[in-house]
């Protein structure tokens, strides 16, 4: 917040470019009010403690009138501290609620504008020429129905719209994709994991997702502070919340399989039918905790890993540098990969199958993920000390990055479109 105050014009320009609903002036004003109350509360506590100390040392020497006066002064200060602490808690809550809306800074190379301002960095492969093969492209919904790969109607009766059963080769394909993806990334230095499908609200918010509100994509459990996670990025980030790591542990590369749950508020239309946009799906997510000076190189490494996977699957795809208005709050820069889907829309179209984001210290600050530069001699003492930023042995906020290794329904969509009408080729 000190940086925000010192660079308020840059922050406002960044908020505008990213189309984020936050009042920077209000956030700064609430921060100032919070700091003023911190000072006032500390002063009142100090005075209360001085009076209490005086009573302990001098009570026996006081005259009745002086003693009564000091006791009254102590009671008044105690009441004042109680009142100030209550106001301080309210001020902190108001300040944090508004300041948490502030987005991350933005990489200077990010294109400005809404989603349609994305820059295409490269296209790999070419869309299949169906007429040359004597075929017409068909929707994955039609192909899957013909081959008995899924059942949307039964799922709707059980759980509502945008849920599904995978069956036969469809179910086997999901398992195969998850196993292949985990094996692929494990062979490239990632620790394979499974993760909880639930996380506490503070962890969800710490990762930059809104657990409450009409526009929230998060499912919350009633009478609980737990939420269903929309990505394994959340429990993986929460795993190291409040931890001080050592530089020798970084970069920490994690790959987790989890179920993902999203409300998909506002999504509708033929382009989102079938498996493309659903409330529950399986996904393998990559998550990296890194030193700040390494995060940009690791971001490109994650993108390269995604491309290697999709090339191995034989997909035609393009890589996009996503614009400021499509970054959300956490990402400093985000690359999306879209695959060509012949049955999407009229005449085919591009559909997102993955993204890779560098969130710099945005999540680490909210979750409290720090690291300390350690020599081999210092390593044994790690975790028992703390220090401010700067100097030998000081702690710094780490950078976090995430990338999609395999969002199963999106890859299913693309693979179903690659099949012919023969069940043996599904």
């Amino acid at each position: 917040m000190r940086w925000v105050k010192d660079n308020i014009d840059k922050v406002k320009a960044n908020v505008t470019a990213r189309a984020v609903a936050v009042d920077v002036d209000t956030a700064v004003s609430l921060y100032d009010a919070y700091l003023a109350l911190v000072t006032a509360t500390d002063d009142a506590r100090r005075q209360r403690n001085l009076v209490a100390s005086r009573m302990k040392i001098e009570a026996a020497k006081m005259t009745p009138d002086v003693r009564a006066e000091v006791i009254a002064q102590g009671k008044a200060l105690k009441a004042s501290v109680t009142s100030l602490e209550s106001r301080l808690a309210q001020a902190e809550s108001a300040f944090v609620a508004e300041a948490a809306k502030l987005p991350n800074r933005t990489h200077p190379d990010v294109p400005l504008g809404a989603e349609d301002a994305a820059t295409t960095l490269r296209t790999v492969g070419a869309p299949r020429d169906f007429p040359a093969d004597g075929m017409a492209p068909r929707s994955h919904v039609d192909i899957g129905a013909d081959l008995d790969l899924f059942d949307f109607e039964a799922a709707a009766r059980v759980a509502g719209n945008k849920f599904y059963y995978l069956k036969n080769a469809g179910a086997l394909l999901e398992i195969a994709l998850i196993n292949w993806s985990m094996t692929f990334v494990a062979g490239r230095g990632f620790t394979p994991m499974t993760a909880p499908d639930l996380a506490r609200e503070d962890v969800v918010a710490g990762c930059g997702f809104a657990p409450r509100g009409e526009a929230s994509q998060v499912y919350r459990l009633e009478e609980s502070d737990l939420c269903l996670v929309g990505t394994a990025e959340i429990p993986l980030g929460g795993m190291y919340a409040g931890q001080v790591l050592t530089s020798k542990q970084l970069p920490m590369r994690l790959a987790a399989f989890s179920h993902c749950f999203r409300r998909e508020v506002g999504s509708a239309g033929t382009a989102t039918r079938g498996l493309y946009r659903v409330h529950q799906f399986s996904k393998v997510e990559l998550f990296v905790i890194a030193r700040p000076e390494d995060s940009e190189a690791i971001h490109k490494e994650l993108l390269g890993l995604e491309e290697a996977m999709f090339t191995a699957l034989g997909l035609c795809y393009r890589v996009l540098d996503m614009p400021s208005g499509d970054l959300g709050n956490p990402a400093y820069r985000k690359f999306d990969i879209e695959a060509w889907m012949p049955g999407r829309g009229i005449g085919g179209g591009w559909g997102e199958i993955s993204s890779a984001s560098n969130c710099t210290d945005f999540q680490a600050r909210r979750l409290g993920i720090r690291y300390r530069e350690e020599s081999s001699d210092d390593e044994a003492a790690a975790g028992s000390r703390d220090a401010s930023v700067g100097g030998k042995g000081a702690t710094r906020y780490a950078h976090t990055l995430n990338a999609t290794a395999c969002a199963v329904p999106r890859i299913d969509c693309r693979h179903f479109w690659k099949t012919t009408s023969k069940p043996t080729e599904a």
Side-chain angles (χ1 to χ4, degrees), residues 395-406:
T395 62
R396 301 172 66 192
Y397 284 108
H399 280 195
T400 62
L401 305 94
N402 63 82
T404 310
C406 180

Side-chain angles (χ1 to χ4, degrees), residues 79-100:
S80 176
V81 168
T82 300
S83 174
L84 283 167
E85 287 178 339
S86 175
R87 290 169 57 197
L88 177 62
Q90 294 174 8
E92 182 177 21
S93 178
F95 149 61
V96 169
E98 192 64 26

Side-chain angles (χ1 to χ4, degrees), residues 151-169:
D151 191 330
F152 290 102
E153 292 183 6
R157 293 195 301 271
V158 172
N161 292 329
K162 294 187 181 296
F163 288 93
Y164 57 93
Y165 288 98
L166 289 179
K167 302 166 60 180
N168 302 315

Side-chain angles (χ1 to χ4, degrees), residues 14 28 33 38 57 96 117 163 195 301 312 335 353 362 373 378 381 410-411:
N14 187 51
V28 170
V38 168
I57 297 171
V96 169
F163 288 93
E301 173 193 318
F335 299 120
I353 57 172
F362 183 92
E373 294 288 352
D378 296 333
R410 297 290 176 90
I411 302 299

Side-chain angles (χ1 to χ4, degrees), residues 333-416:
R333 192 178 194 182
K334 182 175 73 163
F335 299 120
D336 276 6
I337 294 181
E338 295 182 340
W340 178 257
M341 300 182 178
R344 182 170 165 80
I346 299 174
W350 296 99
E352 180 192 340
I353 57 172
S354 75
S355 66
S357 299
N358 183 359
C359 297
T360 62
D361 62 355
F362 183 92
Q363 295 174 328
R365 285 181 179 275
R366 286 155 175 75
L367 294 171
I369 304 175
R370 293 181 172 89
Y371 76 97
R372 179 181 288 107
E373 294 288 352
E374 293 286 343
S375 66
S376 56
D377 294 335
D378 296 333
E379 199 165 32
S384 61
R385 298 167 294 155
D386 203 352
S388 58
V389 173
K392 183 179 179 180
T395 62
R396 301 172 66 192
Y397 284 108
H399 280 195
T400 62
L401 305 94
N402 63 82
T404 310
C406 180
V408 173
R410 297 290 176 90
I411 302 299
D412 277 354
C413 286
R414 185 62 186 89
H415 271 281
F416 291 162

